[in-house]
Amino acid sequence: MAERLVVIGGDAAGMSAASQARDRRGPDDLRIVVFEKGSHVSYSACGIPYLVGGEVAEVESLISRRPEVFRDELAVDVRLRSEVVEIDLDRRAVAVRGDRGGAPSWEPFDQLVIATGAVPDRPHLPGADAEGVYGVQTLDDGIALLGALEEKPRRAVVVGGGYIGLEMAEALVRRGLEVSLVDAAEQPMGTLDPDMGALIAGALRDLGVEVHLGERIECFEESGGRVRAARTENRTLPADLIVLGLGTRPNSALAEAAGVPVGETSGIRTNRRMRTPVEGVWAAGDCVETFHRVSRRPVAIALGTHANKQGRVTGINIGGGYAAFPGVVGTAVSKICEYEVARTGLTTAEAVEAGFEPVGEVVESTTRAGYYPGARKMKIKMIADRGTGRLLGAQIVGQEGAAKRIDALAVALWHEMTVEEMTGLDLSYAPPFAPVWDPVLIAARKAAERVDRLDRGA
Amino acid sequence: MAERLVVIGGDAAGMSAASQARDRRGPDDLRIVVFEKGSHVSYSACGIPYLVGGEVAEVESLISRRPEVFRDELAVDVRLRSEVVEIDLDRRAVAVRGDRGGAPSWEPFDQLVIATGAVPDRPHLPGADAEGVYGVQTLDDGIALLGALEEKPRRAVVVGGGYIGLEMAEALVRRGLEVSLVDAAEQPMGTLDPDMGALIAGALRDLGVEVHLGERIECFEESGGRVRAARTENRTLPADLIVLGLGTRPNSALAEAAGVPVGETSGIRTNRRMRTPVEGVWAAGDCVETFHRVSRRPVAIALGTHANKQGRVTGINIGGGYAAFPGVVGTAVSKICEYEVARTGLTTAEAVEAGFEPVGEVVESTTRAGYYPGARKMKIKMIADRGTGRLLGAQIVGQEGAAKRIDALAVALWHEMTVEEMTGLDLSYAPPFAPVWDPVLIAARKAAERVDRLDRGA
């Protein structure tokens, strides 16, 4: 008799797992059912800011495959608006509630993939549930926010200066709103060192965003159930629209309630093959914790690229193949106005916390040979371990053509290169693509010289 | 008494060596004299096509430091138009001929850096010395060619379809000439696999270049000492201007005549610290041979980036420090019309020659998420060793934003990763920079699946 695979959550991780499992096992051998709480599967959540900003015109563009395609081409039974509310590991079944109400129905499984994603951090503040306060976690959130724009709001407050917050601030400026951004930290982009994050604050102000750093939201003022303003320690910011971009945490409550172990990050624990400690129960995507190859500690990082890879690994293993997810080095990239921002590895603060003694060097260079038309400025910060000279992390803030350089750094980090070793790397050079010393190599040289000077006590 | 360092050749390698040596040893400890045959030092030869094409308006832009700067700020005695015509290792002196004629003068050295660069391959064909036939090796060549453009030539023939030939063809089209390109090979860009090179032939034709592949030049027709046409086996191509872009070989004759060993590539042999087998005699840049980390064979690759690194290593060692050049993986990049072209590692043919059993996979993808404005097409070919799954090489042909991805591949190659391992790499993702599976990861997946299928005999 065919095994039954139940997948909870129909976005990147869940659908990748379903596809890969199907790729290896036919419908007579493995039945696959996906329960998705929302109205869409297999979409690009990372594309929501561009949908809101108008660069992407159609919601459809963000959907890579529709449920019918999974059903018709892959024999994957996708059930939309179906929320799994309980997992029973003894009965090996999940309780599913549809959108028509009524008691949940129990659906049996032989193999289970938990791909429940992340939940946005919502401040426990008065007014946070008022109408006009939006998250940007799911495509449904994005669609709701698009709908709100049709009411011609004038003023928006974005709470949180991370990637999502900044991308949303830019999107709302593009839509003609007056936008304020509030962050409790002294610099936006807390995933960078403060000196690099400061460059972004300037870019945001240039765009016309009113930036309030080092301020906490105290409450949202509402009237008639609708939000009217955000209040910080220092001021009241009138707002027709609030967008919360405060980061996320793993959506692991369902798993934890069932007895599937979660780790210190609150992400579900899995081995390298993405299996939880429970036989036949797998987890992938934003709901899990993974291994950081530099800090050597568990981390929970919500990113579509990890979710896709982990889903693929899960599906290959369920399908009878062998695949492993090797952990992450903390790579991320974003575009804010004309600025490209990227990071990999550990920030200075993270490196200290992980027990290293970081030394950082910032280099200013250009994306092309200085004399070649279109050469743009970029800054690159390289962080090395003082004792060993090993690369610990790197950050880039620059204009067009800057950010993708982070990939070469991410691969160097993966292999635990020292900055001295990196000075010899055979990176590509031609005037339309780089100065004769690529900024990555210049930064490696400067960092190596710094480590060397410290070694010699100079 | 101060030691005397003589440097032969004042471009990237020689001047980097001089600067780094000076950085570590003051003028009282080390006197430095540079003999340069031409009229310029420290310039970007790679920028010549853009000077000829007009993207770079001033010759000066290509010069990174003028002789006076070396003299005044670094106490490096630069002698222009001074050709070293002999090295006497027993007397430890070089014979130098100035441009005013007369007998060469002997200049003693304690340490010698040979940085004589490369010489262009010139076909031994009737008419190759006629007026109107240009190389593009030195800045003086570039200036001469610029001068020729002032005579309003109408038709040009470019001989050779490598990087330089293609860049020059594009430059001359930009200047309004009718341009033909002739190459004996069936595809341009012989440093790529033929299927990837074919994409470039199309781009050239789109640009309006008349492309004649698989044809050899038989002679250049001249009248009154001036070139009038290029004749191939099949046709006569009228030309006011011929540009030779046939590649180069190490300029090692002077060293070899002196008894400094040269290798099978005709490049000067050095150890990792860039010292030749002769005590106190160093060599760096296009005149040396280096170690290819994938084929594990000596290669001679003329590239400014290697020359700069090798010069730096040489200067550090002469200065009393320790530095080593770790070899190359064959990375190169170029821009031809709207196309970006990059490679690293071995081509299929080179891999076979090096004793591997290469399998290649070509993937078509985009530079950004498909739905994000400005997403451009790119093709990436990944070549893996059938037996071990190890990455052997990669090639990229695509539009804006494609080529710099070669750097991440070059670092992966450096560390002898398998394509399967590469599928887990933590490369950056956001819609303005990549599809959720970066083309590099897609290509790694496809190559890994191919190796796996072959393994299973499927």
Side-chain angles (χ1 to χ4, degrees):
Chain A
M1 211 184 93
E3 272 199 325
R4 193 170 200 244
L5 166 63
V6 164
V7 177
I8 310 177
D11 200 7
M15 298 320 277
S16 292
S19 303
Q20 289 291 331
R22 173 59 75 231
D23 208 37
R24 281 165 177 74
R25 296 174 65 179
D28 294 340
D29 179 38
L30 185 74
R31 283 185 294 145
I32 306 179
V33 191
V34 177
F35 296 107
E36 164 57 44
K37 175 170 77 168
S39 330
H40 303 275
V41 294
S42 197
Y43 60 87
S44 170
C46 323
I48 293 170
Y50 312 105
L51 184 67
V52 173
E55 292 101 317
V56 175
E58 300 287 335
V59 173
E60 292 295 308
S61 307
L62 299 190
I63 297 171
S64 59
R65 286 200 270 194
R66 303 196 58 80
E68 305 82 76
V69 176
F70 284 100
R71 190 172 55 223
D72 300 344
E73 295 176 16
L74 293 175
V76 171
D77 180 4
V78 177
R79 315 255 183 100
L80 297 177
R81 291 171 288 278
S82 299
E83 183 177 9
V84 173
V85 292
E86 191 183 340
I87 302 169
D88 187 328
L89 293 178
D90 295 327
R91 288 173 63 184
R92 296 192 83 77
V94 298
V96 182
R97 187 157 56 202
D99 60 349
R100 296 192 194 154
S105 63
W106 284 93
E107 296 275 353
F109 64 82
D110 298 298
Q111 307 270 345
L112 179 69
V113 173
I114 306 172
T116 43
V119 283
D121 285 330
R122 282 218 163 207
H124 295 292
L125 292 171
D129 296 322
E131 200 184 323
V133 180
Y134 291 89
V136 276
Q137 183 63 15
T138 64
L139 189 51
D140 290 326
D141 291 339
I143 292 167
L145 190 46
L146 266 187
L149 290 179
E150 294 192 354
E151 293 163 31
K152 304 285 175 209
R154 262 185 57 217
R155 286 176 296 210
V157 172
V158 175
V159 186
Y163 292 105
I164 292 289
L166 299 186
E167 288 165 6
M168 290 307 300
E170 183 183 355
L172 295 170
V173 168
R174 281 175 176 273
R175 290 292 191 176
L177 278 78
E178 291 170 31
V179 179
S180 305
L181 184 129
V182 180
D183 196 301
E186 293 298 330
Q187 296 300 343
M189 204 61 95
T191 52
L192 300 184
D193 277 10
D195 56 337
M196 298 296 277
L199 305 172
I200 308 303
L204 274 177
R205 291 190 171 108
D206 289 348
L207 188 71
V209 175
E210 205 180 294
V211 181
H212 301 290
L213 297 170
E215 287 188 34
R216 279 173 200 288
I217 298 284
E218 292 188 328
C219 70
F220 300 112
E221 295 177 0
E222 53 182 310
S223 81
R226 272 206 66 85
V227 76
R228 297 294 171 203
R231 208 159 75 207
T232 75
E233 299 143 308
N234 304 335
R235 73 196 82 232
T236 298
L237 296 162
D240 309 310
L241 203 65
I242 305 278
V243 174
L244 300 176
L246 286 166
T248 64
R249 55 196 162 73
N251 187 11
S252 57
L254 188 69
E256 191 172 18
V260 177
V262 306
E264 60 190 80
T265 66
S266 88
I268 299 169
R269 285 174 44 211
T270 73
N271 63 13
R272 282 165 47 94
R273 299 186 67 186
M274 304 312 299
R275 217 203 70 185
T276 73
V278 182
E279 181 63 38
V281 177
W282 310 75
D286 296 355
C287 61
V288 307
E289 70 178 23
T290 188
F291 175 72
H292 195 297
R293 295 171 65 99
V294 186
S295 71
R296 309 198 75 75
R297 292 183 189 177
V299 286
I301 298 177
L303 269 183
T305 178
H306 303 329
N308 269 287
K309 282 183 200 141
Q310 292 170 346
R312 173 176 175 260
V313 164
T314 306
I316 290 174
N317 289 320
I318 292 173
Y322 181 92
F325 184 76
V328 302
V329 292
T331 310
V333 65
S334 183
K335 186 165 179 292
I336 310 296
C337 327
E338 296 307 303
Y339 283 84
E340 300 185 355
V341 185
R343 59 154 282 165
T344 192
L346 306 177
T347 61
T348 298
E350 288 167 343
V352 169
E353 202 190 332
F356 295 104
E357 192 179 347
V359 295
E361 276 288 325
V362 177
V363 160
E364 187 163 346
S365 183
T366 52
T367 56
R368 305 177 177 184
Y371 58 78
Y372 192 87
R376 302 272 176 256
K377 284 189 189 170
M378 62 179 287
K379 281 195 181 174
I380 178 164
K381 181 167 193 172
M382 205 164 276
I383 299 166
D385 186 37
R386 177 179 168 161
T388 60
R390 185 182 151 195
L391 178 68
L392 298 176
Q395 296 163 36
I396 294 172
V397 176
Q399 291 169 299
E400 188 163 13
K404 257 292 179 181
R405 278 179 166 80
I406 206 72
D407 287 353
L409 290 156
V411 183
L413 198 57
W414 194 268
H415 291 284
E416 306 187 3
M417 292 185 88
T418 66
V419 284
E420 175 60 37
E421 284 165 350
M422 290 177 66
T423 64
L425 280 173
D426 190 0
L427 304 184
S428 59
Y429 161 63
F433 301 99
V436 69
W437 286 96
D438 191 280
V440 169
L441 297 175
I442 301 175
R445 271 175 58 179
K446 295 291 174 195
E449 285 162 15
R450 174 86 181 278
V451 168
D452 184 52
R453 275 198 309 278
L454 290 168
D455 253 6
R456 290 185 285 111
Chain B
M1 209 185 92
E3 270 199 323
R4 190 169 202 243
L5 166 62
V6 164
V7 177
I8 311 176
D11 200 8
M15 298 319 279
S16 292
S19 304
Q20 289 291 331
R22 174 59 73 230
D23 208 37
R24 281 166 178 74
R25 296 174 65 180
D28 294 339
D29 179 36
L30 185 73
R31 284 184 294 147
I32 306 179
V33 191
V34 177
F35 296 105
E36 164 56 44
K37 176 169 76 169
S39 331
H40 303 275
V41 293
S42 197
Y43 59 86
S44 170
C46 322
I48 295 171
Y50 312 106
L51 184 67
V52 173
E55 291 102 319
V56 175
E58 300 288 335
V59 172
E60 292 296 308
S61 307
L62 299 191
I63 297 172
S64 60
R65 284 200 271 195
R66 304 197 56 81
E68 306 83 74
V69 177
F70 283 100
R71 190 173 54 223
D72 301 343
E73 294 176 17
L74 294 175
V76 170
D77 180 4
V78 177
R79 315 257 182 99
L80 298 178
R81 292 171 289 276
S82 299
E83 183 177 7
V84 173
V85 292
E86 192 183 340
I87 303 169
D88 187 327
L89 293 178
D90 295 328
R91 289 172 63 181
R92 295 191 83 77
V94 298
V96 182
R97 189 157 55 203
D99 59 353
R100 295 190 197 156
S105 63
W106 284 92
E107 297 274 354
F109 65 81
D110 297 297
Q111 307 270 346
L112 178 68
V113 173
I114 306 172
T116 42
V119 283
D121 285 328
R122 281 218 163 206
H124 295 292
L125 291 171
D129 296 321
E131 201 184 325
V133 181
Y134 292 89
V136 276
Q137 184 64 14
T138 64
L139 189 51
D140 290 326
D141 290 340
I143 292 167
L145 191 46
L146 266 186
L149 289 179
E150 296 192 352
E151 293 163 33
K152 305 285 177 210
R154 263 186 56 218
R155 286 174 297 206
V157 172
V158 175
V159 185
Y163 292 105
I164 292 289
L166 298 186
E167 287 165 8
M168 290 307 301
E170 182 184 355
L172 295 170
V173 168
R174 282 177 175 272
R175 291 292 189 174
L177 277 77
E178 292 170 30
V179 179
S180 305
L181 184 128
V182 180
D183 197 301
E186 293 298 330
Q187 295 300 344
M189 206 58 98
T191 52
L192 301 184
D193 278 10
D195 56 337
M196 298 297 277
L199 304 171
I200 307 303
L204 274 177
R205 290 192 170 106
D206 290 348
L207 188 71
V209 175
E210 205 180 295
V211 182
H212 301 290
L213 297 169
E215 288 189 33
R216 280 173 199 289
I217 297 283
E218 292 189 327
C219 70
F220 300 112
E221 294 178 2
E222 52 180 310
S223 79
R226 270 205 68 83
V227 77
R228 298 295 171 202
R231 209 159 74 207
T232 76
E233 299 144 308
N234 305 334
R235 73 196 82 232
T236 297
L237 297 162
D240 307 311
L241 203 66
I242 306 278
V243 174
L244 300 177
L246 285 165
T248 63
R249 54 195 162 73
N251 187 10
S252 57
L254 188 69
E256 190 172 19
V260 178
V262 306
E264 61 190 81
T265 67
S266 88
I268 299 169
R269 285 174 45 212
T270 73
N271 64 12
R272 281 165 49 94
R273 299 185 69 186
M274 304 313 297
R275 218 203 69 186
T276 73
V278 183
E279 182 63 39
V281 178
W282 311 75
D286 296 355
C287 61
V288 306
E289 69 178 22
T290 188
F291 176 72
H292 195 298
R293 295 171 65 99
V294 186
S295 71
R296 309 197 75 74
R297 292 184 189 177
V299 285
I301 298 176
L303 270 182
T305 179
H306 302 329
N308 269 287
K309 281 182 200 143
Q310 291 170 346
R312 172 176 176 262
V313 165
T314 306
I316 290 174
N317 289 321
I318 291 172
Y322 181 92
F325 184 77
V328 302
V329 293
T331 310
V333 65
S334 183
K335 186 164 180 291
I336 310 296
C337 327
E338 297 306 304
Y339 284 83
E340 300 185 356
V341 185
R343 59 154 282 163
T344 191
L346 305 177
T347 60
T348 298
E350 288 167 343
V352 169
E353 203 190 331
F356 295 103
E357 192 178 348
V359 296
E361 276 287 324
V362 178
V363 160
E364 187 163 346
S365 183
T366 52
T367 55
R368 306 176 177 184
Y371 58 78
Y372 192 87
R376 302 274 175 254
K377 283 189 190 168
M378 62 179 286
K379 280 195 181 174
I380 178 163
K381 182 168 193 171
M382 206 164 276
I383 298 165
D385 186 37
R386 176 178 169 163
T388 61
R390 183 181 153 196
L391 178 68
L392 298 177
Q395 297 163 36
I396 294 172
V397 175
Q399 291 171 297
E400 188 163 13
K404 257 291 179 182
R405 279 177 165 83
I406 207 72
D407 287 353
L409 289 156
V411 183
L413 198 57
W414 194 269
H415 291 285
E416 306 188 2
M417 293 186 87
T418 66
V419 285
E420 175 61 37
E421 284 165 352
M422 289 177 67
T423 63
L425 281 172
D426 190 359
L427 304 184
S428 59
Y429 161 64
F433 300 99
V436 69
W437 286 96
D438 191 279
V440 168
L441 297 175
I442 301 175
R445 271 174 59 180
K446 294 292 174 193
E449 285 162 15
R450 174 85 181 280
V451 168
D452 184 51
R453 275 199 310 279
L454 290 168
D455 254 6
R456 292 185 284 111

